[in-house]
Amino acid sequence: QVQLVESGGGLVQAGGSLRLSCAASGRTFSRYVVGWFRQFPGKEREFVAAISWSDSTYYADSVKGRFTISRDNAKKTVYLQMNSLKPEDTAVYRCAVRATGVVTTSANAYDYWGQGTQVTVSS
């Protein structure tokens, strides 16, 4: 069982920055694929970014060049640095772990999910 707790969300003006954190339990954290997804009201979860056990990173086109995902295995934490935020980035951001397998952008392939943190970007 893996537990995930997100933090770092909040209200920010357009053009601003936030750093989200995802703290995880689990003895083999360093082997997990970790992804960030976001969810808009009434919509399906949308892939944002993911990082593999070997630190390969993947991004949605909509955030490429603005967001950076990273991990600290000693702290069992994954970060999402979000710069140049836009009002359309407003959503609940959730981290997820895929315990086995390779990186995927499909939410259904992830095994464990956090509760999420709200990010609101004002114009």
Side-chain angles (χ1 to χ4, degrees):
Q1 190 74 10
V2 177
Q3 294 183 327
L4 303 171
V5 178
E6 302 96 334
S7 61
L11 173 64
V12 65
Q13 288 188 330
S17 298
L18 285 173
R19 188 176 81 155
L20 305 184
S21 298
C22 172
S25 64
R27 292 186 298 172
T28 57
F29 174 79
S30 62
R31 301 179 188 175
Y32 297 156
V33 170
V34 182
W36 283 98
F37 291 78
R38 61 189 181 186
Q39 194 156 17
F40 306 103
K43 298 288 184 67
E44 294 292 324
R45 290 163 292 186
E46 176 184 284
F47 172 77
V48 175
I51 187 165
S52 72
W53 62 269
S54 62
D55 287 349
S56 294
T57 57
Y58 304 81
Y59 298 95
D61 288 343
S62 59
V63 307
K64 203 171 291 184
R66 299 189 297 124
F67 291 10
T68 302
I69 188 171
S70 61
R71 67 192 300 161
D72 184 334
N73 289 330
K75 295 182 179 179
K76 296 184 180 180
T77 300
V78 169
Y79 304 98
L80 185 68
Q81 178 67 44
M82 304 187 297
N83 298 329
S84 303
L85 282 161
K86 305 175 182 180
E88 52 263 43
D89 294 319
T90 295
V92 174
Y93 285 72
R94 302 177 68 185
C95 66
V97 157
R98 191 178 194 210
T100 58
V102 298
V103 170
T104 176
T105 61
S106 173
N108 292 334
Y110 287 76
D111 305 298
Y112 303 99
W113 290 84
Q115 290 298 310
T117 185
Q118 177 70 46
V119 170
T120 303
V121 184
S122 63
S123 56

